Amino acid sequence: MKKLYIVGIGLLFGLAAIAFLLFIFHQKAVESIIFFPIDPTIQIKEADTSLHLLNEKDNDEYVVNWEVSSDTGKPVYLRQDISLLFADGRLKAVLSDWKDNSNELTQYATYSGEDSSHFVALTFHHGEIHHKDETITSTHRMSKDQLYVIDSSFSPLQSFKEDESEEQREWKDVLDKVTAQQLEYSWEKAVDFFDIPVQNYDLYSLEEIIDLQEKGLPGIDNARSKEVVGRLWEGLYKEYFLGIKTAAGTTIPPIDSSLPLILISKDYSHLLVLFETREGESVKLIQNLGIE
């Protein structure tokens, strides 16, 4: 009887260990966005990113509400959404969520700010579909939102998405100019540091990639364009969202790094991603596309 008890305890520990390992494996499996061929039958029907200012201020801070949602219409093997919140061209916060065998995802977060800023939230909505014949396909869609928050001692706290007055237009011009100058400096520094022949590439900010979603990238059809975008976000998730590998070999959080600049080779063989870390280090990522 004692031997059976010992065997039983050993079996329970063994099953628990297996369950734990399976859990860890599953956690690692979902900690990556993997591009698979685009599924022609399933699309992300609804995709939304929203920013708005909460009408409150405490300790000289205001609060921006950030919401992300998407729906494939019917459950798929894996749903995953990631979102990046930038203020004046610098990453300030990230959102991520995933679900097995689901169609819907909804996320909420808030961000506290102190000064006038231009906020931009960029989101990648992803679905992985497993078929009965063991093939795997994917679907994706992007969404974004922006918000200008004016926090000045000379006027009440206010926000807008599109300028509707002369005062808002002036603030927008100032914030846009400052952001553009800072981004151009960090991007040009990276181009010079890595000695990149920019004439061989088409250059887009990550925000502009989302703007091109409907008409696609120039020179290729919509299907190939979606493949380029899918592979881009696959790389961004692994090498930017989850942490940035520095030249010293360490991995640092992406917070306060610059908005990425995307360089797509004109022959669509590869793309480059350039950005600057919070410490001012230029980083280059390379993603092979294999598209002819």
Side-chain angles (χ1 to χ4, degrees):
M1 192 67 181
K2 189 174 181 180
K3 289 183 179 179
L4 289 175
Y5 174 77
I6 292 173
V7 171
I9 293 294
L11 181 61
L12 287 174
F13 274 111
L15 291 173
I18 291 172
F20 178 75
L21 289 173
L22 287 173
F23 172 77
I24 294 297
F25 175 79
H26 184 66
Q27 288 294 99
K28 288 183 179 297
V30 298
E31 282 183 2
S32 61
I33 288 177
I34 302 174
F35 174 79
F36 292 100
I38 298 297
D39 195 301
T41 64
I42 295 180
Q43 297 180 345
I44 296 177
K45 299 181 180 297
E46 297 179 14
D48 184 65
T49 299
S50 177
L51 297 173
H52 67 270
L53 179 68
L54 299 181
N55 291 321
E56 57 185 65
K57 192 172 181 181
D58 185 34
N59 296 325
D60 293 325
E61 290 186 342
Y62 56 80
V63 178
V64 173
N65 194 61
W66 176 20
E67 300 179 16
V68 174
S69 62
S70 61
D71 190 349
T72 53
K74 62 180 181 179
V76 298
Y77 177 81
L78 177 66
R79 282 297 336 279
Q80 190 168 6
D81 285 355
I82 63 171
S83 190
L84 308 169
L85 179 66
F86 295 89
D88 306 318
R90 290 279 170 172
L91 183 66
K92 295 301 177 182
V94 298
L95 267 180
S96 177
D97 193 20
W98 61 269
K99 285 183 182 179
D100 287 330
N101 302 311
S102 179
N103 57 299
E104 293 182 298
L105 280 179
T106 302
Q107 302 178 71
Y108 303 92
T110 58
Y111 177 80
S112 297
E114 295 182 347
D115 303 309
S116 299
S117 292
H118 177 208
F119 293 94
V120 176
L122 308 177
T123 305
F124 183 71
H125 310 273
H126 176 73
E128 186 177 310
I129 305 103
H130 289 209
H131 301 272
K132 292 181 179 179
D133 62 0
E134 298 187 351
T135 59
I136 303 176
T137 55
S138 67
T139 184
H140 66 252
R141 190 171 168 182
M142 298 175 289
S143 66
K144 74 169 191 175
D145 197 17
Q146 68 167 350
L147 185 71
Y148 291 87
V149 177
I150 309 307
D151 185 10
S152 169
S153 57
F154 302 104
S155 62
L157 180 67
Q158 62 173 305
S159 67
F160 59 91
K161 295 182 186 293
E162 301 293 338
D163 55 282
E164 297 178 350
S165 68
E166 184 61 31
E167 180 190 16
Q168 290 180 350
R169 193 154 36 250
E170 290 176 356
W171 272 110
K172 178 182 182 300
D173 289 344
V174 169
L175 292 173
D176 286 351
K177 184 175 181 180
V178 170
T179 300
Q181 287 177 340
Q182 292 176 345
L183 285 175
E184 286 173 9
Y185 172 78
S186 64
W187 292 341
E188 288 176 2
K189 186 176 74 170
V191 166
D192 292 340
F193 181 78
F194 294 109
D195 195 21
I196 298 171
V198 292
Q199 68 274 13
N200 297 335
Y201 296 87
D202 292 318
L203 280 60
Y204 309 94
S205 73
L206 184 58
E207 183 177 2
E208 289 173 324
I209 292 290
I210 295 182
D211 293 336
L212 288 169
Q213 178 172 228
E214 296 303 322
K215 64 179 182 180
L217 296 167
I220 54 176
D221 59 34
N222 191 256
R224 290 180 178 179
S225 179
K226 288 182 74 70
E227 181 176 348
V228 172
V229 169
R231 293 187 184 279
L232 165 64
W233 279 97
E234 178 183 46
L236 283 172
Y237 187 70
K238 294 175 183 176
E239 306 294 340
Y240 183 78
F241 187 93
L242 293 179
I244 300 167
K245 293 179 181 177
T246 68
T250 59
T251 300
I252 62 173
I255 301 304
D256 284 328
S257 59
S258 66
L259 178 74
L261 177 68
I262 315 302
L263 296 82
I264 302 177
S265 64
K266 293 185 177 180
D267 62 359
Y268 282 95
S269 62
H270 67 283
L271 63 81
L272 306 177
V273 179
L274 301 180
F275 56 88
E276 182 182 60
T277 69
R278 64 187 177 191
E279 286 83 14
E281 179 181 338
S282 295
V283 177
K284 178 180 71 172
L285 306 178
I286 303 175
Q287 180 82 44
N288 291 322
L289 298 175
I291 298 175
E292 298 179 355

